[in-house]
Short mmCIF file of all heavy atoms in Angstrom, two decimals:
data_model
loop_
_atom_site.label_atom_id
_atom_site.label_comp_id
_atom_site.label_asym_id
_atom_site.label_seq_id
_atom_site.Cartn_x
_atom_site.Cartn_y
_atom_site.Cartn_z
N SER A 193 123.61 126.52 120.51
CA SER A 193 124.68 127.52 120.49
C SER A 193 124.65 128.35 121.76
O SER A 193 123.59 128.83 122.14
CB SER A 193 124.51 128.43 119.25
OG SER A 193 125.42 129.50 119.28
N LEU A 200 122.76 134.59 126.06
CA LEU A 200 121.99 134.11 124.90
C LEU A 200 122.32 132.66 124.58
O LEU A 200 123.45 132.34 124.27
CB LEU A 200 122.26 135.00 123.67
CG LEU A 200 121.55 134.58 122.40
CD1 LEU A 200 120.05 134.74 122.55
CD2 LEU A 200 122.05 135.38 121.19
N LEU A 202 120.81 129.43 122.17
CA LEU A 202 119.94 129.06 121.07
C LEU A 202 119.88 127.55 120.93
O LEU A 202 120.90 126.87 121.08
CB LEU A 202 120.42 129.67 119.75
CG LEU A 202 120.57 131.19 119.66
CD1 LEU A 202 121.12 131.56 118.29
CD2 LEU A 202 119.24 131.89 119.92
N TRP A 231 131.42 127.50 112.77
CA TRP A 231 131.18 128.95 112.83
C TRP A 231 131.88 129.60 114.01
O TRP A 231 132.40 130.72 113.90
CB TRP A 231 129.68 129.22 112.86
CG TRP A 231 129.37 130.68 112.74
CD1 TRP A 231 128.92 131.54 113.69
CD2 TRP A 231 129.50 131.47 111.54
NE1 TRP A 231 128.76 132.80 113.17
CE2 TRP A 231 129.12 132.78 111.86
CE3 TRP A 231 129.91 131.18 110.23
CZ2 TRP A 231 129.11 133.83 110.93
CZ3 TRP A 231 129.89 132.21 109.29
CH2 TRP A 231 129.52 133.52 109.64
N MET A 260 113.29 125.67 109.36
CA MET A 260 114.17 125.80 110.52
C MET A 260 113.41 126.50 111.65
O MET A 260 112.75 127.51 111.44
CB MET A 260 115.42 126.60 110.19
CG MET A 260 116.42 126.70 111.34
SD MET A 260 117.99 127.50 110.83
CE MET A 260 118.98 127.27 112.33
N VAL A 262 114.00 127.93 115.74
CA VAL A 262 115.02 128.29 116.71
C VAL A 262 114.31 128.78 118.00
O VAL A 262 113.33 129.54 117.92
CB VAL A 262 115.92 129.42 116.19
CG1 VAL A 262 116.94 129.86 117.27
CG2 VAL A 262 116.65 128.99 114.91
N SER A 264 115.28 130.83 121.51
CA SER A 264 116.26 131.64 122.22
C SER A 264 115.86 131.71 123.69
O SER A 264 114.70 132.00 124.02
CB SER A 264 116.28 133.05 121.62
OG SER A 264 117.02 133.93 122.42
N THR A 368 123.54 122.75 110.13
CA THR A 368 122.77 123.21 111.29
C THR A 368 123.64 124.06 112.21
O THR A 368 123.24 125.14 112.66
CB THR A 368 122.17 122.04 112.06
OG1 THR A 368 121.42 121.24 111.14
CG2 THR A 368 121.26 122.51 113.16
N ASP A 369 124.86 123.60 112.45
CA ASP A 369 125.82 124.38 113.26
C ASP A 369 126.08 125.73 112.60
O ASP A 369 126.10 126.78 113.27
CB ASP A 369 127.13 123.59 113.41
CG ASP A 369 128.25 124.41 114.06
OD1 ASP A 369 128.33 124.42 115.28
OD2 ASP A 369 129.00 125.08 113.31
N LEU A 370 126.28 125.72 111.29
CA LEU A 370 126.61 126.93 110.55
C LEU A 370 125.46 127.92 110.56
O LEU A 370 125.66 129.12 110.89
CB LEU A 370 126.98 126.54 109.12
CG LEU A 370 127.38 127.66 108.16
CD1 LEU A 370 128.60 128.40 108.67
CD2 LEU A 370 127.66 127.05 106.78
N LEU A 371 124.27 127.47 110.24
CA LEU A 371 123.13 128.38 110.16
C LEU A 371 122.74 128.88 111.56
O LEU A 371 122.33 130.04 111.72
CB LEU A 371 121.96 127.72 109.48
CG LEU A 371 122.13 127.56 107.96
CD1 LEU A 371 121.04 126.65 107.37
CD2 LEU A 371 122.13 128.91 107.25
N LEU A 372 122.84 128.02 112.57
CA LEU A 372 122.56 128.48 113.93
C LEU A 372 123.58 129.52 114.37
O LEU A 372 123.23 130.50 115.05
CB LEU A 372 122.54 127.29 114.88
CG LEU A 372 121.85 127.51 116.24
CD1 LEU A 372 120.38 127.90 116.07
CD2 LEU A 372 121.95 126.23 117.08
N GLY A 373 124.82 129.34 113.95
CA GLY A 373 125.86 130.33 114.27
C GLY A 373 125.58 131.65 113.58
O GLY A 373 125.80 132.73 114.15
N ILE A 374 125.11 131.60 112.33
CA ILE A 374 124.76 132.82 111.61
C ILE A 374 123.58 133.53 112.29
O ILE A 374 123.58 134.77 112.43
CB ILE A 374 124.45 132.51 110.13
CG1 ILE A 374 125.76 132.13 109.41
CG2 ILE A 374 123.78 133.67 109.44
CD1 ILE A 374 125.56 131.63 107.99
N VAL A 375 122.58 132.77 112.70
CA VAL A 375 121.44 133.33 113.43
C VAL A 375 121.95 134.03 114.70
O VAL A 375 121.52 135.15 115.01
CB VAL A 375 120.41 132.26 113.78
CG1 VAL A 375 119.39 132.76 114.78
CG2 VAL A 375 119.70 131.77 112.51
N ARG A 376 122.84 133.40 115.41
CA ARG A 376 123.38 133.98 116.64
C ARG A 376 124.13 135.29 116.35
O ARG A 376 123.97 136.28 117.06
CB ARG A 376 124.33 132.99 117.32
CG ARG A 376 124.91 133.49 118.64
CD ARG A 376 125.89 132.49 119.23
NE ARG A 376 126.36 132.95 120.52
CZ ARG A 376 125.70 132.78 121.65
NH1 ARG A 376 124.55 132.13 121.64
NH2 ARG A 376 126.16 133.26 122.80
N THR A 377 124.93 135.27 115.30
CA THR A 377 125.68 136.49 114.90
C THR A 377 124.75 137.64 114.60
O THR A 377 124.98 138.78 114.99
CB THR A 377 126.57 136.18 113.68
OG1 THR A 377 127.56 135.20 114.04
CG2 THR A 377 127.28 137.41 113.17
N ILE A 378 123.67 137.34 113.90
CA ILE A 378 122.68 138.38 113.55
C ILE A 378 121.98 138.91 114.78
O ILE A 378 121.81 140.11 114.94
CB ILE A 378 121.69 137.81 112.51
CG1 ILE A 378 122.39 137.62 111.16
CG2 ILE A 378 120.49 138.77 112.35
CD1 ILE A 378 121.56 136.88 110.13
N ILE A 379 121.56 138.04 115.68
CA ILE A 379 120.86 138.48 116.88
C ILE A 379 121.76 139.34 117.78
O ILE A 379 121.36 140.42 118.24
CB ILE A 379 120.31 137.27 117.67
CG1 ILE A 379 119.19 136.58 116.88
CG2 ILE A 379 119.78 137.71 119.03
CD1 ILE A 379 118.66 135.30 117.53
N LEU A 380 122.98 138.85 118.01
CA LEU A 380 123.91 139.58 118.88
C LEU A 380 124.34 140.91 118.25
O LEU A 380 124.50 141.91 118.94
CB LEU A 380 125.13 138.73 119.19
CG LEU A 380 124.90 137.56 120.15
CD1 LEU A 380 126.17 136.72 120.27
CD2 LEU A 380 124.47 138.04 121.53
N ASN A 381 124.56 140.88 116.92
CA ASN A 381 124.92 142.10 116.19
C ASN A 381 126.05 142.84 116.90
O ASN A 381 125.98 144.05 117.18
CB ASN A 381 123.70 142.99 116.03
CG ASN A 381 123.94 144.13 115.01
OD1 ASN A 381 124.85 144.07 114.21
ND2 ASN A 381 123.10 145.13 115.08
N VAL A 396 128.57 137.24 106.70
CA VAL A 396 127.10 137.26 106.72
C VAL A 396 126.57 138.35 105.79
O VAL A 396 125.60 138.12 105.03
CB VAL A 396 126.60 137.46 108.16
CG1 VAL A 396 125.06 137.62 108.15
CG2 VAL A 396 126.95 136.27 109.04
N LEU A 406 120.28 132.71 101.03
CA LEU A 406 120.38 132.79 102.47
C LEU A 406 119.34 133.76 103.03
O LEU A 406 118.66 133.46 104.03
CB LEU A 406 121.76 133.24 102.93
CG LEU A 406 121.93 133.33 104.45
CD1 LEU A 406 121.75 131.98 105.12
CD2 LEU A 406 123.27 133.95 104.82
N PHE A 409 115.79 132.34 103.08
CA PHE A 409 115.72 131.23 104.01
C PHE A 409 115.69 131.73 105.45
O PHE A 409 114.86 131.27 106.27
CB PHE A 409 116.88 130.24 103.84
CG PHE A 409 116.84 129.12 104.84
CD1 PHE A 409 115.92 128.11 104.73
CD2 PHE A 409 117.71 129.10 105.93
CE1 PHE A 409 115.83 127.07 105.66
CE2 PHE A 409 117.66 128.08 106.87
CZ PHE A 409 116.71 127.07 106.74
N LEU A 410 116.55 132.69 105.78
CA LEU A 410 116.57 133.23 107.13
C LEU A 410 115.23 133.90 107.46
O LEU A 410 114.75 133.82 108.59
CB LEU A 410 117.72 134.22 107.29
CG LEU A 410 119.12 133.65 107.28
CD1 LEU A 410 120.15 134.78 107.41
CD2 LEU A 410 119.33 132.62 108.38
N ILE A 413 112.67 131.49 108.88
CA ILE A 413 112.91 130.86 110.17
C ILE A 413 111.83 131.26 111.18
O ILE A 413 111.42 132.42 111.25
CB ILE A 413 114.30 131.27 110.74
CG1 ILE A 413 115.40 130.58 109.94
CG2 ILE A 413 114.43 130.92 112.21
CD1 ILE A 413 116.79 131.03 110.33
N LEU A 415 111.36 131.91 114.83
CA LEU A 415 112.14 132.18 116.04
C LEU A 415 111.20 132.37 117.22
O LEU A 415 110.22 133.13 117.14
CB LEU A 415 112.98 133.45 115.85
CG LEU A 415 113.71 133.97 117.09
CD1 LEU A 415 114.80 133.00 117.53
CD2 LEU A 415 114.33 135.33 116.80
N PHE A 430 111.94 137.05 112.67
CA PHE A 430 113.41 137.10 112.57
C PHE A 430 113.88 138.16 111.59
O PHE A 430 115.00 138.68 111.71
CB PHE A 430 113.97 135.72 112.19
CG PHE A 430 115.49 135.67 112.28
CD1 PHE A 430 116.11 135.95 113.48
CD2 PHE A 430 116.23 135.35 111.18
CE1 PHE A 430 117.51 135.92 113.57
CE2 PHE A 430 117.62 135.30 111.27
CZ PHE A 430 118.26 135.59 112.46
N TYR A 433 115.40 141.24 113.19
CA TYR A 433 116.81 141.11 113.58
C TYR A 433 117.71 141.27 112.35
O TYR A 433 118.77 141.89 112.42
CB TYR A 433 117.06 139.76 114.23
CG TYR A 433 116.69 139.68 115.69
CD1 TYR A 433 115.64 138.86 116.13
CD2 TYR A 433 117.39 140.39 116.65
CE1 TYR A 433 115.31 138.77 117.47
CE2 TYR A 433 117.05 140.31 118.00
CZ TYR A 433 116.01 139.50 118.41
OH TYR A 433 115.69 139.41 119.73
N PHE A 437 120.62 144.14 111.85
CA PHE A 437 122.01 143.71 111.59
C PHE A 437 122.50 144.30 110.29
O PHE A 437 123.63 144.84 110.23
CB PHE A 437 122.06 142.17 111.53
CG PHE A 437 123.44 141.64 111.18
CD1 PHE A 437 124.38 141.45 112.15
CD2 PHE A 437 123.77 141.36 109.85
CE1 PHE A 437 125.66 140.97 111.84
CE2 PHE A 437 125.04 140.89 109.53
CZ PHE A 437 125.97 140.68 110.52
#
Side-chain angles (χ1 to χ4, degrees):
S193 173
L200 179 65
L202 302 178
W231 188 252
M260 184 174 186
V262 177
S264 169
T368 306
D369 172 88
L370 181 59
L371 287 170
L372 197 59
I374 289 173
V375 168
R376 182 183 184 83
T377 295
I378 290 172
I379 292 174
L380 288 175
N381 193 17
V396 173
L406 180 63
F409 178 72
L410 291 179
I413 288 174
L415 173 66
F430 188 57
Y433 279 114
F437 176 86

